């Protein structure tokens, strides 16, 4: 007898599952290994990774995802060889030069999450211009996590709360959420990591508390629309309890 889940999996390359996450986070890992497997320099992997971004972004728009957060450069990535850091910076420059018009046309709002510390002032300006240019779009919010670290983000939020003179007893989880770079956005429902590792690597630490985590061995440059659909089907198989028990969830779903 054919199992229902097998059937769903078989259809993964064509059909859209019933529940689409509002917010997806992606750790785009495996560019270096993708390149190495082909005898190419690591930086070629990043270039292919950049190309891949377009189809995943367009698929998210098509599927009705409201927020997509991509981990483009972590605060720890400064430790990489200087040449590789330079290439990653130049790729963001290229993306901003080549893609903003198309993103704008597709109703995508670009947002930067992370710090500008250490980022070339010209690149800083390009990032800010792209955010400004697309600020009124509401089809999909693209958070570019660039020079981003989840712990640093929480420190940044706490500092601003203190600067605003908030009394300790008035600090709430909701308030901390509002002071994060993603303030006002829904938390991620699904965090995808390509490249086979099972780590969060300082990505959306606060916001990802109740996200479903999905790891695939596929390297980022090969993670295509059908691979995304497979992740969405897997998300649909998960049962999200948010700390409750099954009976309570059923009650919520039926409005009891
Ligand atoms: C991790 O792969 C990937 C990154 C550190 C950068 C991700 C960048 C892109 C996908 C290009 C798009 C970039 C921007 C700025 C929009 P890795 O190098 O750690 O791969 P490995 O684990 O195989 O070595």
């Amino acid at each position: 007898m054919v199992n229902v889940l097998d059937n769903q999996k078989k259809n993964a390359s064509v059909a859209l599952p019933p529940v689409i996450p509002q917010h997806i986070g992606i750790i785009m890992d495996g560019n270096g290994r993708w390149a190495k497997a082909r005898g190419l320099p690591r930086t070629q992997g990043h270039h292919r990774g950049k190309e891949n971004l377009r189809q995943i972004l367009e698929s998210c728009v098509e599927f009705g995802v409201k927020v997509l957060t991509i981990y483009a450069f972590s605060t720890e990535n400064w430790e990489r060889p200087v040449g590789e850091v330079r290439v990653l910076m130049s790729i963001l420059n290229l993306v901003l030069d080549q893609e903003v018009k198309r993103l704008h046309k597709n109703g995508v709002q670009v947002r930067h999450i992370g710090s500008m510390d250490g980022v070339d002032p010209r690149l800083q300006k390009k990032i800010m211009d792209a955010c400004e240019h697309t600020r009124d779009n509401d089809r999909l919010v693209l958070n570019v996590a660039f020079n981003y670290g989840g712990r640093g983000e929480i420190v940044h939020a706490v500092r601003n709360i203190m600067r605003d003179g908030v009394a300790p007893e008035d600090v709430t989880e909701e308030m901390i959420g509002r002071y994060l770079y993603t303030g006002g956005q829904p938390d991620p429902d699904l965090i995808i990591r390509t490249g086979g590792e099972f780590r969060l690597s300082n990505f959306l630490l606060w916001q990802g508390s109740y996200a479903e985590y999905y790891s695939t061995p596929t390297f980022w440059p090969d993670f295509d629309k059908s691979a995304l659909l497979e992740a969405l089907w897997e998300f649909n198989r998960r049962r999200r309890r948010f700390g409750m028990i099954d009976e309570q969830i059923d009650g919520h779903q039926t409005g009891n």
Side-chain angles (χ1 to χ4, degrees), residues 6-251:
D6 286 346
N7 254 339
Q8 287 180 344
K9 193 159 187 189
K10 207 171 65 202
N11 292 335
S13 56
V14 283
L16 204 55
V19 180
I20 299 299
Q22 267 200 295
H23 181 171
I24 299 179
I26 307 186
I27 302 172
M28 308 179 289
D29 199 11
N31 294 343
R33 281 166 288 161
W34 180 93
K36 193 173 173 202
R38 287 159 181 77
L40 298 168
R42 291 178 53 80
T43 49
Q44 272 306 109
H46 294 314
H47 280 286
R48 283 299 290 261
K50 174 194 84 128
E51 291 304 311
N52 194 47
L53 206 46
R54 196 178 298 130
Q55 66 160 320
I56 294 303
L57 182 72
E58 283 173 3
S59 302
C60 285
V61 171
E62 179 191 332
F63 298 163
V65 173
K66 295 315 285 179
V67 184
L68 174 66
T69 303
I70 52 164
Y71 209 1
F73 189 86
S74 74
T75 41
E76 290 74 28
N77 285 152
W78 290 107
E79 303 300 326
R80 293 194 174 202
V82 177
E84 184 165 336
V85 169
R86 203 173 294 137
V87 166
L88 287 167
M89 297 290 158
S90 73
I91 287 179
L92 181 59
N93 241 305
L94 266 179
V95 169
L96 294 169
D97 284 342
Q98 297 172 348
E99 304 291 337
V100 172
K101 230 186 215 167
R102 184 206 295 258
L103 293 171
H104 187 49
K105 224 174 91 191
N106 280 314
V108 174
Q109 181 188 135
V110 180
R111 291 187 57 168
H112 168 239
I113 64 167
S115 157
M116 289 293 194
D117 289 351
V119 178
D120 181 284
R122 283 163 302 181
L123 182 53
Q124 288 189 30
K125 180 166 183 334
K126 254 187 211 177
I127 295 169
M128 289 187 292
D129 287 349
C131 296
E132 183 58 33
H133 187 63
T134 60
R135 59 178 290 174
D136 294 326
N137 297 335
D138 60 4
R139 196 152 174 218
L140 179 143
V141 174
L142 173 66
N143 291 320
V144 182
F146 180 79
N147 200 16
Y148 171 87
R151 289 183 173 181
E153 178 182 32
I154 295 169
V155 170
H156 176 262
V158 171
R159 284 187 178 150
N160 281 337
I161 289 173
M162 294 182 79
R163 275 190 197 110
D164 285 350
V166 177
E169 57 276 18
D170 291 336
V171 176
T172 61
E173 292 187 10
E174 186 275 327
M175 175 184 287
I176 293 177
R178 251 190 296 124
Y179 273 80
L180 297 175
Y181 300 126
T182 52
Q185 299 179 357
D187 283 340
D189 308 290
L190 172 65
I191 293 180
I192 296 172
R193 180 168 189 145
T194 61
E197 310 282 357
F198 292 84
R199 277 191 297 278
L200 271 182
S201 299
N202 210 7
F203 183 58
L204 300 180
L205 295 184
W206 180 281
Q207 301 91 326
S209 294
Y210 280 101
E212 291 297 324
Y213 186 74
Y214 177 84
S215 173
T216 168
T218 304
F219 296 142
W220 171 250
D222 291 331
F223 187 81
D224 58 11
K225 185 176 179 179
S226 74
L228 175 63
L229 273 167
E230 214 167 306
L232 296 186
W233 276 105
E234 172 59 26
F235 174 75
N236 273 252
R237 281 183 215 108
R238 304 272 178 92
R239 198 167 162 76
R240 305 180 77 197
R241 294 194 194 84
F242 301 97
M244 292 181 267
I245 62 169
D246 283 339
E247 289 72 12
Q248 290 173 299
I249 299 291
D250 292 339

